[in-house]
Each structure stands twice: as C-alpha cells, then as structure tokens.
Amino acid sequence: MDPPMSMEDIAPIAILMDELRSEDVQLRLNAIHSIPTIALALGSDRAREELIPFLQDSVDDEDEVLLALAEELGKNFWDYIGGAEHAHVILGPLENLSAVEETLVRDKAAESITKIAAVLSQGQVEQYYIPLLRRLSSGEWFTSRTSAAALYPAVYSKVSPALQEELRKGYTALGADDTPMVRRAAAKSLGPLLKQFSEQHVVSDGLPIYRRLQADDQDSVRLLTVEDLIVIAQKLSPAEVKELLLKQIRQSIGDKSWRVRYMAASHFNELAEAVGTELVREELLGQYIQLLKDNEAEVRTAAATQIPGFSKLLDKEVILARIIPCVRDLSQDTSQHVRAALANQIHGLAPLLNREPTIEHLLPLFLHLLKDDFSEVRLNIISKLETVNNVIGIELLSESLLPAIVELAEDKSWRVRQAIIQYIPLLATQFGKPVFDEELGNLCMSWLGDSVYSIREAATVNLKKLTEVFGVDWARVAIVPKVVGMGSHPSFLFRMTTVQAITTISPSLNLEIIRADIIGPLLELSKDHIPNIRFNVAKSLEAMAATFNSTPEGHQFIQEFILPALEQQKNDVDADVRYFASRALQKALSVNS
C-alpha cells in the first residue's frame, strides 16, 4: 500500500485534476503533460484506481489534448502505476483513443499500445490484450478496425498456436473489410505481421491476404502491398517466389496507377535482392527497364535512384547492353527531376564498369550532365566527383568540370552557391594545388564578399578546410594576404568578413604565421570606427587565446598581444565592445595562468 498523503501533496494534485477538467484547452494540455507528476504524487495504487479511470472517461476532448494523452501513456507510464505487471491497466484509455475520428490520435494510441505490448507477459497478453484486439477488430465504426490492424504484429509471437490461428483469421477479415481505410491499414501492417509468420503460414494464410489486397480496386491499398511483397519474397525460396509471386510482381510493376508503379520503382532494389539472382536476370531486368522508360516522370525518377544498386546484381556485359542505353535516354529526359536523380546516381556505375568502359560509355554522359541547364543536375554530378575520379582520373573531367563549377558558383540562387562551396575542399583534393590556385583560388576569395551572410560564413569555413587540405605554408601564401588585405577595404562588409575569416582559420594556422601576418592587421581592426567590428575582434582574440595557450611561446604571445589589446577594449565607448572584451579578457587570463 502507498503511504497516506499529506495536505501539501494533495493540494497540487487537486489543482492538476481541476486543470484536466478545465474549459481552457491549453490548461488541459498542460495538465496532460503533467499526468506522470500526478501519478507519482498519487502513488501507484491510487493512480491505477483513480487516475486511469478518469483518463479513460476523458476521450471527449480536443484532438490536440487526446494526441498528447495518447503519447504520454506510451512513455513508460506503467512505471508510475506499479510496473509492468500492471501495464495492462493503461490499455483501457488507449483502447478508447484508438477508436476516435482523428487519424493522428488513433495512430499515436496504436503506437503506445504496441509499446505496452512489449512489456506484457504472455498471460497479460492473452487475458487483456487479445480481448482488446477482438473488440477493436469487430468494432462497428471503421476507426477502431483501422487501429486494430497495427496491433497484431506486436503480440503474434507471444501467444499460443491456437490464438495465433485466431489472429490470422482476424487479420484475414480486416484485409477483406468493406471499408477502404481498413484495407489500407491492413496492407500497411501486413509486412510486419508476416515477419512473425512461419514459412508455412506465410503461404497458407499470408499469401491469400496479400493477393486480395494486391488486387484491390483502390490504388492507395495496392501501393502499400509492394513492401508486403518484399517481405513474402524474403520468407520464400527463389523457386517458391517464381511459382507463387511472379504474377503479382508483374502486376505491381505494370499497375495502371502510376502511384503503385512509383512505389515499386522506389523499392526495386529490395525486391531484386529478395527474389534471387536467377529471377532478376530472367524477369526483373525487363521489368526494371520498363520502369526506367515509364511514361510518368515520377516513376522514372524513382527508378533512376535504383540504378547502381540494381546494377550490382548484373554482369558488366548486361549493364553495358541493357542499362547504359536507358541511362543515356534518361540523361536527355525532358524532366529536370529525372535528370537530377540520374546525376545523383550515375557515379555508382563507374566502379562496376571499371576504367575503359567508364571512359567510353559514362564519361560522355557525365560531361553532358555537367552542362545541364538545371543547376541541381550539375550540382549532383559535382558532389559525386570523387567516385568517378577514383576510376578514371581528374584529367578527363577537368575541362568540362571547371566551367560548370564557376557557373554554379555564380548562380543566382544563394543556396546553390552555398552548396558548391561545401564541395570545394573535395575538388581541391582532386585537382591539386596548381590547378586549384589557377582556376578556383580567386573564386574562393570572391565568396568572402558575397551579399548573403550565409555564403560569407560558408566561405570562411571553406578557407579553413582548404588550409587543412593544402597545409599552412600554402595558406600563408594563397589565403592570408588576401584575407588580411580585405581588412583595409572601405566597405564595412569586407572588414567584418576579414575578422570572421581570421577567427575561423586561426586554429588551422601556426603561431609563427599568426604573429607575423595576422595579429597586426587584427589589432588595427580593434580600433575600427564600427563597434560591431571591434567587438568581433574581441571574440577573435578570445579564440586565439584558447587555441595557442598550450606552449610557452603561446603564453608569451598572449601576454604580448592579446591581453594588452583586450585591456584597452575593456574601456571602449561602446557597451557591447566592453562586454565582449571583458569576457574575452577573463577567459584569456584563465587559460594563460
């Protein structure tokens, strides 16, 4: 028994209980999020006897409140009512929530019931969970039957063979329900349930349910059976797949609804791996080419994302004879989204073909896509440069690659410019110093003056990464003079970028370069007439102190340059400058002590 509660304990509980009954939705919502606190204060016995029945009667509320309740009851709430041995008590409120009209509430309630099922014993499942499942499965309203479908997989393996047979029959009824929403729910949860079936029951019970759903007149049901098909194929031998599933595979891939074909295309690699190599070559290769040539752009886009994965299951000769012609057609596709999807995947064929076939067949397509009108296509090609470069070398790409990079770097969309900046260190690694300095060095510096702050920020990070790629000696010659030179620019924007760039790249430089080339211009900027620049200098000095405090030379550098500058800034006329300088001084003194 729980100990008696004091008046101090009872008062806040009473307030929370009143809030649960309040007419104010926000108050009720806050109270729902506090039910663990209420349960803890009540004690496990009273929580089971008073709080749970109260919650069970609270389903006539706003959807937002019911959703919160369904979620809270699934967050190990059994810990507050006496542990897993009493977890079945929570099923009552959740059963009610599983039958409400709002889909989000029902889904969350089903999710919470599934979590509770994981901690129930076999006895609890058979005594409490199975009756709940029967009630929901035979409910008058479709809402309860829809929720029921998601609850079968969680307990199938926990019950006796007799109850397993009952569950299979119950699920068969859901798969044949008159209401499309129930059949849709059955199709969605069939795969997880089939994973619990023995191979015998997959064939005897699972396959008929699947076939009925796969032939449904609603495409929203049929498209969900694609994943069920994969699960069944994984459970059967290749010979059984050929005998029992070939018709359904053809029907899904050739379905009259593009949404079903799209789903088949999106999961094609999983299906191919499940059915076995022989059926891939005999049947699925032709079906896949059919999807690559589909009359709907969405289907071709989905099929294009599967190209490298599916090609891994084929011989090189088959790839060259059957896949490459389709890839060539896709590179000329009228849909920019198809071309973008292809550009994101075409690199994966290079390691499968090796150098000479890649140069002969893929390189022309690669270079063609680099000149595409759609920036995302060019960007996708460049982002996967490393894979192709490892196969054929950068020399064959550079002639077309560099103009494409320059064009992307000047794209009117700042997001495209930002994306290409992220790939510059990779390109630098591939090109090497001479080509990079000649072709891309000035471009990298130009980003520091971009009108968009995010670009300038990305550009400073880019300089840091380039320093790590090419080394500090290169940075001293190629980066530092240009960054420092911007510090005397008449534009406030350029001077601010100089400070930010110094702050970012300093940890990648050595103390010799900082002392000789960086600190002087930075201290000059500490006297700038713009307060924002001055307090950013204080931040930069703080970062330097944290970076170079581990050696005697670093301590001397801090004493000689950083501390005097911050002492001076501490008396600045601007309050923000004084604040940041004082903070930086305090940290610099602590790391230098």
Side-chain angles (χ1 to χ4, degrees), residues 527-541:
K527 304 167 189 174
D528 196 280
H529 66 279
I530 303 292
N532 276 19
I533 292 179
R534 298 201 300 275
F535 75 63
N536 272 284
V537 170
K539 291 181 181 180
S540 186
L541 293 172

Side-chain angles (χ1 to χ4, degrees), residues 17-72:
M17 295 294 276
D18 285 340
E19 288 180 354
L20 284 170
R21 301 183 182 94
S22 169
E23 293 184 4
D24 188 311
V25 173
Q26 189 58 50
L27 277 178
R28 295 201 303 278
L29 191 59
N30 293 341
I32 288 295
H33 289 305
S34 300
I35 59 172
T37 305
I38 300 174
L40 194 62
L42 284 172
S44 57
D45 290 344
R46 292 189 63 195
R48 291 196 304 274
E49 295 166 6
E50 299 176 30
L51 180 59
I52 295 297
F54 175 80
L55 295 174
Q56 192 161 347
D57 294 333
S58 301
V59 293
D60 186 18
D61 208 328
E62 299 290 335
D63 292 335
E64 187 180 6
V65 177
L66 297 181
L67 180 62
L69 176 59
E71 184 175 11
E72 287 295 335

Side-chain angles (χ1 to χ4, degrees), residues 175 177-185 187 210-226 252 255-261:
D177 197 276
D178 291 337
T179 307
M181 284 76 85
V182 178
R183 301 198 301 275
R184 192 182 309 150
Y210 159 73
R211 283 174 173 163
R212 184 176 189 121
L213 293 168
Q214 197 267 340
D216 199 275
D217 60 355
Q218 298 282 325
D219 64 354
S220 61
V221 175
R222 297 198 304 277
L223 67 87
L224 293 171
T225 63
V226 171
S252 290
D255 197 278
K256 63 184 178 181
S257 167
W258 72 266
R259 296 171 66 202
V260 180
R261 301 197 303 276

